[in-house]
Amino acid sequence: MSKIFGGRYEVLDRIGAGGMAIVYKAKDLLLNRVVTIKVLREQFVTDEDFIRRFRREAQSAASLSHPNIVSIYDVGKDGDTEYIVMEYVEGRNLKEIIREYAPLSTEQSINLARQITGAIRNAHENHIIHRDIKPHNILVTADGHAKVTDFGIARAVSSATVTHTGDIVGSVHYLSPEQAKGIQSNEQSDIYSLGIVLYELLTGKVPYDGETPIAIALKHLQQEPVPPSKLNPRIAKELEGVIMRAIAKSPEQRYVSAKELLEDLNHIQAGEPIAWFGLPQAIDPEATQTHKGMGKALNPIEVIDSVPIKSVNKRRSLLIVGGLVLLLTLLVGGIWNYMSVGSTKVPDLTGKTVPVAEDFLKDAELSLDPEVTQEFSDEVNKDLIIRQDPKADNSVKVGRTVKVVVSKGIELVEFPNVIIGQMSKENAINLIKNAGFTGEITLVPMPDDAAKDAVIGQDPLPKSSWPKDGNITLTVSTGPQWSTINMPSVIGKLSSEAKTILVDQNKLVLKIETEVSYTSPEDVVISTIPSPGESVQQGSEVTMVVSRGPGPFAQGLEAQASSNNVMIAQFLAGVQKGRLKEQ
């Protein structure tokens, strides 16, 4: 028997677990809809302060209504078990998507970031801070719709987590510097965490990593991040500027609000410039002059404008000649450096994971190109290198980068439904091939009431994810197996009961006729062709004659009426004779 919380929410399946709660898919029996239930773990049940704070924050978050926020429907208690009922989202969390597909394209990343930022903006405007923004708390549907979950819950968990474990709240990879210091977080803390998520979407890596949570937290406080364009050269400078501003260590250099961040993301998506990006840097005081007696600093352009034209032309000529000399020097130096660099042999990276390949390249004094391409492969397992450029054993200069293509594994495609409507095997095979499947199709014959050659079973099941070259099995009907039987007796039965006996139980094709009957009630079988007991072949047509009335009762009434008519006629005839005598 399945568990029912609060007499209303029936558990269907366990779909996940975290440090705070176990997550179930359930059905709301009252409203007949699927929901998600988060059931608090036992270690929190005895902490009354936490439970009180947890309920208050969850109820506060329930007031949020936004298309990119997972709605909270209910907060309840069943015995000693505290639970939250939330909107059920059919999809995957963003961390799973990052692991499989990152780096994502600029368009995909901005689209997701805009949705998440919109959710955060809505929460902030309602005075709710998330405090634990990370890909694990962001759900994405199959059509790319993002929904942020666990709003308001992190605040309730924070003090309880310190009480029970002493750990830092939230995933340390996305922790803001102020959270790492133990300072109270604010709206800008959520913006920092979102910036880390955007960094990871575009590069496939978090900016700070380490062997322990403390080591990672210290990097948030002390270490400058590698610009994301160093890991993914396709990232535009303006987008990189947005990311670096979002993850600035000092809140004063960070975006003030989610609204401000969202505006910049909208500008980038629309191809419009960002107002603050690319502003002139502070002018070097030594590069300025002062008008005598005025004390006004001039920028270099104003200084050049004040110089006589002849002097400017002479200086320009000297700059051109100097530039050519410098360019020639650099060119010669570069060629000399190239000639003096040693050579090395490219190792064979095929069949290896990227981390292992990086070790091999390091030993050969080479490096991996940060732009790793991924593609599906039927032959090479997921996360292993399919091919490389330059190829193995080629002799190249030390320090060169090597490009690799990594397998995404076998491409899985949704398998079509070929058992619907008793589809013929020819149509089913054509549908499967048109869907891109190339695997061997095995036909298994089986007797069935369906028409001959109709597909009555399939493996894989409809809408299953299946390899394009995977083997397929179709169960095909050989048609009904008819035999000779004795015609059942259905005379005197209602037509519906007779139909069940003849068609459903004995596999006969039924033809129904009706006729007037004074001996059988309406809708009762009068006779059959062939007669009961005669031999008949299953699948052949038989005739059933059904009464359409008026039936035995009507016959009695008709006879009585006829008798009455005779008596009336005799009476009238007698009256007529009496009149004639009187005359």
Side-chain angles (χ1 to χ4, degrees), residues 509-521:
V509 178
L510 186 60
K511 177 182 177 183
I512 299 176
E513 296 179 355
T514 63
E515 65 178 40
V516 175
S517 174
Y518 290 104
T519 57
S520 297

Side-chain angles (χ1 to χ4, degrees), residues 20 54 57-58 72 84 86 150-158:
M20 182 191 77
F54 169 79
E57 292 298 328
I72 295 179
I84 313 173
M86 312 173 76
D150 284 353
F151 265 104
I153 296 174
R155 180 176 178 181
V157 177
S158 58

Side-chain angles (χ1 to χ4, degrees), residues 3-4 28 42 59 74 107 119 125 134 140 160 247 252 277 320 349 373 419 443 448 476 493 534 557:
K3 171 70 176 174
I4 298 179
D28 183 341
E42 292 181 1
Q59 289 166 356
D74 193 10
E107 182 180 356
E125 289 174 350
K134 57 185 178 181
V140 182
I247 63 174
E252 288 76 18
F277 184 80
I320 292 172
L349 307 179
T373 305
I419 58 176
L443 301 178
D448 191 81
V476 180
K493 298 182 183 295
E534 293 184 13
L557 291 176

Side-chain angles (χ1 to χ4, degrees), residues 230-231 233 338 341 344-347 349 357-358 361-362 364-372 388-391 394-404:
K230 296 290 184 182
L231 303 176
Y338 178 81
V341 170
T344 184
K345 186 177 287 187
V346 179
L349 307 179
E358 287 178 321
L361 291 172
K362 186 176 181 180
E365 299 183 88
L366 301 171
S367 62
L368 185 70
D369 191 307
E371 188 173 348
V372 176
Q388 64 186 81
D389 181 28
K391 293 182 179 180
N394 279 4
S395 182
V396 298
K397 293 294 182 181
V398 168
R400 178 168 173 174
T401 60
V402 178
K403 289 181 176 288
V404 296

Side-chain angles (χ1 to χ4, degrees), residues 18-36:
M20 182 191 77
I22 301 172
V23 187
Y24 297 98
K25 178 181 179 181
K27 182 177 181 180
D28 183 341
L29 300 177
L30 181 62
L31 298 179
N32 192 29
R33 65 181 176 185
V34 177
V35 297
T36 298

Side-chain angles (χ1 to χ4, degrees), residues 483-501:
S483 59
T484 302
I485 61 172
N486 293 327
M487 179 69 179
S489 178
V490 294
I491 296 172
K493 298 182 183 295
L494 291 174
S495 63
S496 58
E497 182 183 359
K499 182 178 179 182
T500 300
I501 295 170

